[in-house]
Amino acid sequence: MSYSSIDYLNVPRVAMLPGGDVVSQAAQRAGLDPTRPFSGQGFAPGVFVGTVRPVFESWRDHAVPLDEGRLGTIQQGMYVAFNAPMRSRNTSNQPFPRPLTGSWQDDPYLSFRLGGRTIMIRYDPQWLTTATAGTDLVSAEAEQVAYAGIGLVVGESADAIRISALFFGKPQTSEGAYMKYIVQGEGPIAGAVAVDDFETEVSSSASGSQLQGAPRDRSSDDVTVALHFNELEVYPGQIERETFRQLMRVVPEFRRDLTVSIGTVFTHSVLTAMPKPLDIAASLLAGAPKVWSTHSIHGLGTLLADVEVAYALVRGVRRSQLEDLHQALLAGSESYLGAVEVHLRRPMHQHFYAATPRFRLVEADLRLLYSAREYYGELGNWDHRPHDLLDEWEAEEIFESVRWEEDKEQSAADLRQAEEEVSELMAMIDRGEAAAE
């Protein structure tokens, strides 16, 4: 979810959630005292909200989307994600902010109808982030306002679901996200983006992923996709194992012929001036051809700024399988962060995702790919350790067979590069001899 504002944030409770340490760190950087209400802390709450708002665009927690199809599964104690036009109650009948009484009849809450039941979302006014947020809630007593966030189910009955809010804010519109980027973005891409590059409509599965492009049905096209992982939360080989398992679940065996590369998205360099993470995200997601992605531009920008992002680049998966692959990884991997379709002819995609294929999945078999340069030792002793790697992958017991296979395309590229290097060396020698004469 992308937010135009964070209007309410119960800092102590959110900080206790998995990943909530980033909220505590943002509060410290802003000079905010998280043990005291926002009111009376001067500019610190505004600085804090500006810092923490993008965090929720890439928030990775297990919350059940609150929609009509899932109402029957909602139980007390669940974390739920809500997003709907709603009205506020009990906001303007007493001085604001004020202590809670513990009574739904007296305390402020948000309310909307869903599937014949009333959804009631209570909040503690001391954690409203700004005076404007309180004013907007008063206005919401007279007309509906869209709010989105996460809360804990504290009560459930046949006619109502009662939720205690952890945080909520106003959802970002594509127009709002576009204007925000125009203000923040730099470089050539800032002048090339369009409103539809910031489209925030969720897919039919409500996961937040999107697919924009030509009107023809492209679901059977073979595509390349980069699966993003938190590099600091994985051990060696974990990305490969988690990717292989989900590919073997999602892609039918009879048409499984995929190559997989592993790499890191390096967004900074001591040698060259790199664009800001937000501009990198815009370059990856905006423009033509349109790409499928589970990230918004601002969400991916935040991710690249705050997280060391590794990736598995999968070539040959069908576009219609991307959503299922995304959902399978969300359910099966704690370190998975999302995905983006890759077009290696686009310069920025080529720069960040040009890793050489290392694996090939063929039906139920795994092939460990090597090229001529690697085999002859330039990258170090591949020819001396094949049995170790074969034994390692055979021990996984998820493949019918594991063996080495030459990547002929890469070997040909290695040969061309070697010939060029030899040619350049011979030319240098000839120039040196000519100068000596």
Side-chain angles (χ1 to χ4, degrees):
M1 173 61 66
S2 296
Y3 295 88
S4 64
S5 66
I6 298 295
D7 291 11
Y8 175 82
L9 177 58
N10 191 318
V11 178
R13 292 183 62 195
V14 172
M16 291 187 291
L17 294 175
D21 56 320
V22 296
V23 176
S24 301
Q25 294 165 9
Q28 292 174 359
R29 290 196 299 269
L32 183 77
D33 183 352
T35 65
R36 294 171 48 211
F38 288 135
S39 178
Q41 295 202 51
F43 290 107
V47 175
F48 168 66
V49 170
T51 303
V52 82
R53 182 196 58 78
V55 169
F56 294 107
E57 296 186 14
S58 52
W59 190 261
R60 177 69 163 86
D61 201 4
H62 297 285
V64 178
L66 189 58
D67 56 40
E68 192 165 351
R70 295 182 174 91
L71 275 182
T73 67
I74 301 301
Q75 299 178 12
Q76 185 170 334
M78 279 184 172
Y79 287 107
V80 293
F82 51 86
N83 178 14
M86 52 189 78
R87 299 279 291 273
S88 61
R89 311 293 182 188
N90 301 332
T91 53
S92 59
N93 56 351
Q94 295 182 33
F96 213 62
R98 62 182 185 274
L100 295 180
T101 67
S103 167
W104 288 87
Q105 184 175 353
D106 299 321
D107 291 337
Y109 64 92
L110 296 165
S111 174
F112 66 99
R113 296 284 292 176
L114 182 66
R117 301 168 83 176
T118 300
I119 311 300
M120 305 166 67
I121 306 166
R122 74 184 184 197
Y123 57 92
D124 186 343
Q126 70 172 324
W127 299 113
L128 290 173
T129 54
T130 62
T132 301
T135 301
D136 289 346
L137 284 165
V138 172
S139 299
E141 285 201 337
E143 59 184 5
Q144 288 187 331
V145 175
Y147 284 105
I150 288 179
L152 178 69
V153 177
V154 295
E156 182 265 334
S157 64
D159 58 356
I161 294 176
R162 292 175 292 280
I163 298 168
S164 177
L166 297 180
F167 70 87
F168 60 76
K170 297 181 183 66
Q172 183 68 278
T173 64
S174 54
E175 291 80 8
Y178 169 75
M179 291 304 300
K180 191 183 292 278
Y181 177 73
I182 292 301
V183 172
Q184 297 175 336
E186 298 177 358
I189 189 63
V193 296
V195 172
D196 65 355
D197 292 321
F198 297 84
E199 180 60 55
T200 56
E201 280 189 28
V202 297
S203 69
S204 58
S205 65
S207 70
S209 55
Q210 55 190 345
L211 174 60
Q212 304 165 345
R216 70 181 182 89
D217 180 12
R218 301 188 295 167
S219 62
S220 61
D221 290 356
D222 284 347
V223 298
T224 299
V225 62
L227 309 171
H228 293 152
F229 296 83
N230 188 331
E231 191 165 37
L232 300 182
E233 294 183 355
V234 295
Y235 52 80
Q238 181 178 343
I239 292 177
E240 294 94 310
R241 288 170 174 82
E242 292 184 353
T243 299
F244 292 159
R245 289 192 182 100
Q246 302 312 329
L247 285 173
M248 294 181 76
R249 288 181 57 193
V250 170
V251 182
E253 181 178 325
F254 72 90
R255 68 160 313 274
R256 191 183 299 142
D257 190 352
L258 314 166
T259 63
V260 179
S261 313
I262 304 297
T264 300
V265 182
F266 292 107
T267 57
H268 54 81
S269 171
V270 296
L271 301 177
T272 60
M274 290 295 295
K276 295 192 308 183
L278 182 60
D279 292 312
I280 293 172
S283 296
L284 292 175
L285 300 183
K290 298 297 184 183
V291 298
W292 174 96
S293 179
T294 66
H295 305 287
S296 70
I297 289 177
H298 284 88
L300 181 57
T302 300
L303 201 65
L304 295 176
D306 293 345
V307 178
E308 296 293 332
V309 178
Y311 65 83
L313 190 75
V314 182
R315 297 173 174 87
V317 66
R318 287 195 170 177
R319 190 183 303 277
S320 59
Q321 297 163 344
L322 293 177
E323 187 65 46
D324 290 339
L325 181 59
H326 169 62
Q327 293 295 334
L329 282 163
L330 276 179
S333 172
E334 292 292 333
S335 58
Y336 173 68
L337 300 170
V340 60
E341 180 186 353
V342 172
H343 294 264
L344 289 172
R345 292 185 179 181
R346 292 174 62 168
M348 194 65 77
H349 287 216
Q350 173 71 21
H351 180 81
F352 286 107
Y353 298 116
T356 302
R358 289 299 183 200
F359 306 93
R360 182 176 171 224
L361 290 178
V362 185
E363 297 181 350
D365 304 323
L366 176 67
R367 304 291 182 252
L368 308 181
L369 300 179
Y370 68 92
S371 68
R373 184 182 294 268
E374 293 160 342
Y375 185 81
Y376 289 110
E378 180 169 326
L379 298 184
N381 296 323
W382 274 57
D383 52 335
H384 294 154
R385 55 188 176 95
H387 296 297
D388 293 341
L389 285 176
L390 288 177
D391 292 345
E392 178 182 339
W393 285 107
E394 287 174 347
E396 293 294 316
E397 297 183 347
I398 58 176
F399 307 106
E400 287 188 5
S401 71
V402 181
R403 66 176 175 84
W404 287 93
E405 178 180 290
E406 183 179 6
D407 184 343
K408 296 186 183 299
E409 182 178 344
Q410 186 61 42
S411 287
D414 291 345
L415 180 60
R416 289 193 298 270
Q417 183 176 350
E419 290 172 345
E420 292 172 0
E421 292 172 353
V422 170
S423 178
E424 291 175 2
L425 178 61
M426 294 303 297
M428 290 177 59
I429 293 174
D430 290 344
R431 288 195 296 271
E433 290 177 348
E437 294 176 358

